[in-house]
Amino acid sequence: MILTFSLLGLALAITGLMAFAFFWPMTLVHLRDKHPDIHAKLEAFDPASLLWLLAGRYRALHDPGLDGLGLPARIALIGLLFGLLNAGVFALIWWATKP
C-alpha cells in the first residue's frame, strides 16, 4: 500500500511536470511581449523565477492574459513539487519499514 502511494505521488509529479512544461514557456513569452521589464529579471528555470511564480507575484501586474497563463503554471508547479515530496516521503517510509 505504501508503494502505491509513492507511485501515485510520482504520477502527480509527472502530470505536474507536463503541465508546467506547457504553461511556463507560454507565460514567459507573454511576459516577454507585454512586460519586458519583468521578463528581463526572470530566467526560464532560475530558482528566483520559480519562487516568483510560486508566490503569485504575476498577479500584481493586473494582466488578465498573464493571470490566465500564470495560474495553471503555478498549479502545475505546486503539483510537481507536492508529487515529488509525496513520492519521496512514502518511498522513505517503505524503505524504513521493509522487513
Side-chain angles (χ1 to χ4, degrees), residues 18-36:
M18 292 298 105
F20 183 74
F22 183 74
F23 283 105
W24 181 236
M26 290 194 310
T27 304
L28 290 175
V29 168
H30 184 85
L31 281 170
R32 181 193 67 199
D33 294 343
K34 305 285 183 177
H35 307 281

Side-chain angles (χ1 to χ4, degrees), residues 52 54-63 66-67 71 74:
W52 179 84
L54 276 176
R57 293 192 194 123
Y58 58 87
R59 292 179 295 186
L61 298 173
H62 303 292
D63 181 354
L66 184 59
D67 289 345
L71 181 62
R74 183 180 183 199

